[in-house]
Amino acid sequence: MWLRITLPAAVVTLAVLVGFAVLAGRGLGPLRLASADAELGAALGPAGAAVSAGRPPAPVDGMVVRVLDTAGAPVDGGGPVPGLGQGEVRALKAGTSVHSGAMAWRGTVVPAPDGSLRLVVAGTGLVGLDSAVRTGSTWLLWAALVGAVLAAIATWFVVRMALRPVERMRRSLRALPPGERLPVPRAHDELRALAEDFNALLARQEESSRRLRRFTGDAAHELRSPVASIRVQAEVAVANPDPELAQETLADVLDEAERLSALLDQLLALARSDAGEVPPAEPVELVTEARDAVARMPAGAPPARVNGVVGSAWAHAAHAEVELVLNNLLRNACRYARSQIVVSVVPGRSSVRVVVDDDGPGVPPEHRDRVFDRFYRVADDRSRSSGGSGLGLAMVAEAVRRRGGRVTVGESPEGGARFQVTWRRAGNVSAS
């Protein structure tokens, strides 16, 4: 990581510094000329004042000061000024700087005491300007290169120092014993947040592993019972060739096989849910689904009815999920109800509720928080086995919760259990 940070930083720094060096190098010549013009302008003031007063201009170190007429001819007794032709003279009279050869000139027109006009010019040499510009540009480029190298070294050092706590955290993570957590830094910075996220991830992984071990053990325990029963009954049928006994044994084997098949289907459904396989949601009409679920109840089940619902109620779910939830809730109610089962569909503004009531023994309050856990079964108050696998209500809770709904259990007005499922109402379908 330090290389991925240092290299781009060095390249960007080099590009910026080289750009500044090139711009600065191009500005050296104009800067030198502007400086010379400023100094010449400063010297012209006293020189023009002296000529206006009838005195010769005072000499200035490093400059040439001459007095000319308006045609450019010398009037100070000196020789002709080299490099000043008629064009340059006109520019100087207009107050424009002139760069002629290796000299820079500026001029000003002042009146002499006799009333004539005089052109006072001041010039300075520009010898070595081009060489100085080239040399300065070269030094600026070298300075940019050295600066980029120093910036790369500083970036590398800072990044290595900044990543040192991350490296320590990585080594701690490698040597972390099971069940332990990373130490959280005291500073409230990104490293603290990273350590906290790591610890949360470790907690989730341990919880997933614990649930997987428990699920595997419970599934193996539940599968062992029907498989052992089928094996024992098959051995009895083989050892006793009596046709009537064999027929009775085959019926028992069929019952156990159906129980085993249902258990495997439930386990596969939970496994697909744990893997994140969620069918797409769509509007599902709950009143029709509730009536169909009641019609699917097995023969000999307690009487069940859909409580007087008028119109329709649409939920945001999947058809298969709603069917699974209603089938399991009614199957659970069948095991415990004494004389009746009542299904109610209650539409609301933003949600739709399905309520299943029975008149059985109900669910004791101490078991209501765990009744939706996998393989958890409440002891039957009537002292007989319910025949369930402990997965039906767990599948109900899983199907409802992954759609953002909730499922609860309480006491029914008939004295039994009341299971209440709440789904989000489908927003694109209105109840009739």
Side-chain angles (χ1 to χ4, degrees):
M1 180 180 290
W2 63 268
L3 184 61
R4 290 198 300 268
I5 297 177
T6 302
L7 187 59
V11 171
V12 172
T13 303
L14 179 62
V16 172
L17 292 179
V18 167
F20 283 151
V22 171
L23 291 176
R26 291 180 178 179
L28 286 177
L31 180 64
R32 175 67 180 89
L33 293 176
S35 176
D37 289 343
E39 292 179 359
L40 292 175
L44 279 177
V51 172
S52 296
R55 301 190 306 272
V60 180
D61 291 340
M63 294 185 186
V64 177
V65 181
R66 301 292 303 274
V67 182
L68 311 176
D69 60 17
T70 56
V75 294
D76 55 0
V81 180
L84 292 183
Q86 293 300 318
E88 286 78 8
V89 171
R90 285 194 296 271
L92 290 174
K93 288 191 294 184
T96 304
S97 300
V98 173
H99 304 141
S100 175
M103 295 289 293
W105 296 94
R106 284 198 67 177
T108 183
V109 178
V110 297
D114 57 3
S116 60
L117 296 178
R118 295 289 181 261
L119 175 62
V120 182
V121 297
T124 184
L126 298 176
V127 177
L129 176 62
D130 294 339
S131 176
V133 170
R134 288 193 299 270
T135 303
S137 299
T138 301
W139 277 104
L140 286 173
L141 290 175
W142 277 106
L145 181 60
V146 172
V149 172
L150 293 177
I153 295 174
T155 303
W156 176 84
F157 181 76
V158 171
V159 171
R160 289 297 297 269
M161 292 294 293
L163 292 180
R164 186 170 296 175
V166 179
E167 178 65 21
R168 289 197 298 266
M169 185 180 296
R170 186 175 65 88
R171 290 195 298 266
S172 300
L173 188 62
R174 283 183 175 180
L176 197 64
E180 296 295 329
R181 298 291 183 267
L182 285 174
V184 178
R186 294 183 178 179
H188 292 273
D189 54 8
E190 289 78 6
L191 289 178
R192 181 185 179 93
L194 180 61
E196 292 175 346
D197 289 344
F198 263 128
N199 289 338
L201 177 62
L202 290 173
R204 289 195 300 270
Q205 287 182 337
E206 290 181 1
E207 176 63 19
S208 298
S209 299
R210 185 188 64 79
R211 292 181 61 186
L212 178 60
R213 289 193 299 269
R214 179 183 174 187
F215 178 80
T216 304
D218 291 340
H221 176 75
E222 292 294 331
L223 291 173
R224 187 182 299 116
S225 177
V227 170
S229 178
I230 291 174
R231 178 178 179 181
V232 170
Q233 291 168 354
E235 291 175 350
V236 170
V238 171
N240 298 276
D242 184 2
E244 294 183 1
L245 180 59
Q247 185 66 26
E248 181 181 351
T249 303
L250 287 176
D252 292 339
V253 169
L254 179 60
D255 291 340
E256 292 295 334
E258 290 177 350
R259 178 188 171 193
L260 179 61
S261 177
L263 178 59
L264 289 176
D265 289 340
Q266 292 174 339
L267 291 173
L268 289 175
L270 287 173
R272 285 192 294 267
S273 178
D274 290 341
E277 297 181 12
V278 181
E282 59 184 357
V284 180
E285 208 287 296
L286 294 181
V287 177
T288 302
E289 292 293 332
R291 289 172 178 160
D292 292 343
V294 169
R296 288 192 299 268
M297 292 178 63
R305 72 177 190 275
V306 179
N307 202 13
V309 180
V310 179
S312 58
W314 297 84
H316 184 75
H319 176 79
E321 292 174 344
V322 174
E323 185 175 319
L324 180 146
V325 169
L326 293 175
N327 287 343
N328 280 281
L329 289 180
L330 289 175
R331 190 180 300 120
N332 180 77
C334 285
R335 295 192 186 103
Y336 297 100
R338 294 188 178 94
S339 60
Q340 66 172 342
I341 299 172
V342 180
V343 181
S344 305
V345 180
V346 184
R349 283 182 172 270
S350 59
S351 62
V352 183
R353 291 181 295 135
V354 174
V355 182
V356 178
D357 292 309
D358 64 66
D359 58 354
V363 180
E366 63 270 17
H367 295 286
R368 292 174 185 174
D369 291 336
R370 298 190 58 193
V371 75
F372 297 105
D373 292 346
R374 298 177 183 183
F375 301 105
Y376 185 80
R377 285 178 292 226
V378 181
D380 191 2
D381 291 342
R382 294 171 293 181
S383 301
R384 62 178 178 87
S385 173
S386 67
S389 63
L391 289 176
L393 294 180
M395 295 174 64
V396 169
E398 185 70 21
V400 174
R401 288 169 184 166
R402 69 186 179 187
R403 292 298 179 191
R406 65 182 184 275
V407 56
T408 58
V409 58
E411 186 174 350
S412 169
E414 284 75 18
R418 163 171 283 189
F419 286 87
Q420 182 171 270
V421 177
T422 304
W423 277 290
R424 288 191 296 118
R425 183 170 180 174
N428 57 342
V429 179
S430 61
S432 59

